[in-house]
Amino acid sequence: MAELTDEVGVLSIYVNRDPQARAEGSNRPPWEVRLRQQLSQLRDRVKEQGPREHWKALEQRLDELGPDLDGLLDPTSSGQGGALFATVAGGETHRFAVQRPLPDQVVLEPRAYIRPLVTVWSTAGPAGAVSVSEDELKLVDLRFGYAEPVGSIPVRPESEVTRTLQGPAASNPQLGQHSAPQHDLYERREDEKLLRFLRTLGPHVAEHVSNREWGYLALTGDATLVQAVQESLPAQLPAEVVPLEFRAHSLTPPKLAATVEPALGEARQRHHRELAERARSNALSANAGAYGLGETLGALQEARVAHLLLAADGRWEGGRTRDGFLAPAGEIPPGFTADDLIPEPHLAERMIERAFLEGADVTMLDGDEAEPLADAGGVGAILRW
């Protein structure tokens, strides 16, 4: 979406279909009232400020988007948060739904406005949950508030569960020798077989981690079973493993998600704060880090940023030249004059775009996660060099 652009503009519409909200004095839900008002204000602004052909193109495009807008605003649509992106001249349309709140917002810019999506990705991005029992290993995909089963592996065939191991009974002078169940020996052998099999499943789980871009992996089940699976995972697994000792095999995917999400949330917060601390430490030791708006903008424009870090509630002012060079408010880049700078009301958005287009990661930091960057205005980066 960071690459979506249009000669007239990209219309970015976000809505929060709050199930607790109720319409007040209207048959329309409150989020629809707010969005319709913002669209009306946008129409007026483009008519007053933009070329007439741009206003006419926007009016025509909004008429074409009528069914898409109705679906986006429909209280019965999937997900609490919805997003619609539409190029005005190009006729391209994209819709997204997340089971997380989004702001009620309408933006028309040369590129798609994606900051709210990046925020949701940072707080509820792709993760996986594995529930392991003596009979089956289940995998569930967790992202943006949704839980979807994606695979299962039988651990022990049904025929083996009821088998018993027969052998001679212990010596008893009053009884003749005969065959008797040796349940303890059989169970020990079955347990060993089970653990050996579980220790072969790591590569299969790792394949799901890679293909589905899971940043975190929750492992649930009896401690011995969880440990067996965890030990088989590759050392360079691109996900933080969160082992949880409780039986979740009988839970539905949504209930499993609700059970593991607090631990996954703590893991995210811990990791995000570590990223911020690393950026600060690297910058202050003249290593591969940027600390503050000026340093971060400079590194972005030199394509040196590996991971951009922004406070989720941060607001930054600045300007840009016609060729896209970004500068903090009050600073004039070398080789330019004040007249060369155009005010940039969405500086964070420009930073996010630049980072994605250069192949960098972006994380929005919430609350205590951003504390290490407080003295830097909530902006920092881990650099490639």
Side-chain angles (χ1 to χ4, degrees):
M1 296 308 300
E3 297 177 344
L4 186 63
T5 186
D6 186 78
E7 60 187 37
V8 176
V10 178
L11 191 62
S12 303
I13 304 176
Y14 290 93
V15 63
N16 184 42
R17 298 179 287 250
D18 186 353
Q20 303 300 321
R22 294 292 183 267
E24 298 179 3
S26 170
N27 292 326
R28 296 185 297 175
W31 58 84
E32 179 175 355
V33 175
R34 290 191 292 268
L35 261 294
R36 298 290 186 189
Q37 289 175 344
Q38 290 190 45
L39 285 171
S40 178
Q41 293 168 359
L42 175 64
R43 282 184 161 111
D44 294 341
R45 186 166 61 251
V46 173
K47 184 177 182 180
E48 294 173 1
Q49 302 176 0
R52 178 175 174 79
E53 56 269 26
H54 284 194
W55 170 68
K56 293 178 65 176
L58 176 62
E59 289 290 332
Q60 179 180 345
R61 187 67 172 121
L62 286 172
D63 288 340
E64 296 170 352
L65 289 170
D68 289 295
L69 284 171
D70 291 342
L72 181 71
L73 298 171
D74 188 345
T76 64
S77 295
S78 172
Q80 179 178 351
L84 171 66
F85 301 93
T87 56
V88 174
E92 192 172 346
T93 305
H94 302 270
R95 276 184 61 179
F96 299 94
V98 296
Q99 200 62 276
R100 289 289 186 270
L102 287 172
D104 295 321
Q105 192 170 11
V106 176
V107 177
L108 179 65
E109 290 195 331
R111 292 184 179 272
Y113 180 75
I114 60 174
R115 179 174 178 174
L117 285 186
V118 177
T119 300
V120 171
W121 184 284
S122 298
T123 57
V130 171
S131 65
V132 56
S133 71
E134 296 179 351
D135 300 316
E136 188 178 26
L137 181 143
K138 295 181 180 179
L139 299 105
V140 176
D141 182 273
L142 310 175
R143 63 184 68 211
F144 316 130
Y146 295 107
E148 177 188 3
V150 295
S152 63
I153 304 172
V155 172
R156 183 153 49 189
E158 185 66 25
S159 61
E160 292 189 5
V161 176
T162 57
R163 282 173 46 195
T164 57
L165 185 63
Q166 299 293 326
S171 178
N172 187 324
Q174 299 179 5
L175 297 175
Q177 296 297 312
H178 61 86
S179 179
Q182 296 181 347
H183 295 290
D184 292 344
L185 176 58
Y186 172 73
E187 289 178 359
R188 284 197 300 273
R189 290 183 180 179
E190 287 300 295
D191 289 344
E192 292 170 0
K193 184 192 299 184
L194 171 63
L195 295 177
R196 284 197 301 269
F197 181 73
L198 290 176
R199 292 189 182 102
T200 69
L201 298 183
H204 180 83
V205 175
E207 185 176 355
H208 280 273
V209 170
S210 178
N211 292 343
R212 300 178 181 279
E213 298 184 346
W214 290 345
Y216 302 86
L217 179 66
L219 298 179
T220 69
D222 289 340
T224 303
L225 306 184
V226 167
Q227 182 179 359
V229 176
Q230 185 174 1
E231 289 174 351
S232 68
L233 294 169
Q236 301 302 319
L237 188 74
E240 180 175 342
V241 179
V242 183
L244 302 171
E245 185 182 344
F246 61 82
R247 297 189 178 189
H249 189 70
S250 62
L251 299 180
T252 64
K255 289 185 177 180
L256 174 61
T259 302
V260 303
E261 277 179 355
L264 290 177
E266 291 178 2
R268 289 182 195 272
Q269 293 168 3
R270 182 172 58 252
H271 178 61
H272 291 175
R273 185 177 175 100
E274 289 172 354
L275 289 173
E277 291 172 347
R278 179 181 167 191
R280 180 180 186 276
S281 175
N282 284 3
L284 296 183
S285 62
N287 203 334
Y291 192 63
L293 184 57
E295 288 186 15
T296 303
L297 287 177
L300 279 170
Q301 285 155 165
E302 295 171 354
R304 294 193 295 125
V305 171
H307 202 139
L308 175 65
L309 304 169
L310 300 173
D313 59 354
R315 295 291 182 269
W316 302 277
E317 297 180 356
R320 59 178 173 82
T321 64
R322 297 192 181 279
D323 61 358
F325 195 93
L326 301 174
E331 294 188 16
I332 301 175
F336 296 94
T337 67
D339 294 336
D340 296 323
L341 290 176
I342 304 168
E344 177 49 71
H346 296 299
L347 190 59
E349 186 73 11
R350 304 288 84 79
M351 289 190 281
I352 291 170
E353 289 171 1
R354 184 68 61 89
F356 280 143
L357 294 175
E358 295 295 339
D361 293 323
V362 180
T363 296
M364 308 300 290
L365 305 173
D366 193 19
D368 291 343
E369 300 168 3
E371 195 276 332
L373 301 180
D375 292 340
V379 186
I382 297 171
L383 307 183
R384 294 188 172 101
W385 70 90

